[in-house]
Amino acid sequence: KHGRVAMAAMVGFLFHINHIHFPGYLSPTAGVTFEQLSAVGPFEAWNMIPLLGQLQILWTIAGLEHASECLDPAGHYTKGGTPGNLKFLKNFWDTPGFTKKLTEAQKAEKLVSELKNGRLAMIGIASVCAATAVPGSVPLLANAPALTGPGFALPFGTF
């Protein structure tokens, strides 16, 4: 599960630093555009999102976490279930049906690939956080123009 989150974070970061964004407004009432978010560092962008938008993101994450921890018919992973299993959310886990025709061996191979990619993404996103917080700590990311702003963000902005 942590690997999936890290992969999503890394993809989001790569989109952000390459200024790939939706057109228009994120929040017309607050006057925040996607382009404005794309022009600042990733943690500054989080702080620019209006509070209700931040709450929507956190509640969505909480809902998925609740589903994976409490709604799995096989039980929680500490009671015999499988960690990160979302297969019981049938249309959410594999909506296009990519895994329907795979053999068990192919599924096992893809699971190992997912685990390895998740571990690499965890190293990648941790490196980005370290490079932002301590300039020069990651030589490859030294002086990267996209790594601006604070090294972390509090859930609801700075105080």
Side-chain angles (χ1 to χ4, degrees):
K1 193 163 49 171
H2 293 88
R4 290 175 184 162
V5 171
M7 286 188 278
M10 202 64 211
V11 168
F13 176 74
L14 292 172
F15 269 69
H16 181 82
I17 65 173
N18 287 299
H19 304 288
I20 300 170
H21 54 79
F22 292 113
Y25 282 87
L26 170 75
S27 174
T29 54
V32 179
T33 66
F34 288 106
E35 187 174 357
Q36 289 172 327
L37 295 178
S38 181
V40 297
F43 296 113
E44 289 171 318
W46 172 257
N47 289 333
M48 287 176 65
I49 297 172
L51 178 62
L52 289 176
Q54 291 178 345
L55 289 173
Q56 288 175 350
I57 293 167
L58 295 175
W59 275 108
T60 300
I61 293 167
L64 289 171
E65 187 70 17
H66 172 71
S68 70
E69 295 288 327
C70 303
L71 301 179
D72 189 350
H76 190 267
Y77 64 86
T78 61
K79 297 178 182 166
T82 305
N85 178 24
L86 294 176
K87 291 180 184 174
F88 63 96
L89 297 173
K90 293 179 185 13
N91 291 329
F92 178 79
W93 182 74
D94 185 18
T95 305
F98 292 126
T99 61
K100 287 181 181 176
K101 297 180 181 177
L102 296 178
T103 66
E104 288 304 315
Q106 290 172 318
K107 287 180 185 177
E109 181 182 344
K110 293 201 179 293
L111 179 60
V112 169
S113 295
E114 182 183 19
L115 290 171
K116 289 179 180 179
N117 289 335
R119 290 174 184 147
L120 184 60
M122 286 187 266
I123 291 169
I125 201 67
S127 297
V128 167
C129 292
T132 306
V134 182
S137 62
V138 181
L140 186 62
L141 297 175
N143 302 318
L147 297 179
T148 61
F152 67 94
L154 297 172
F156 301 109
T158 55
F159 297 96

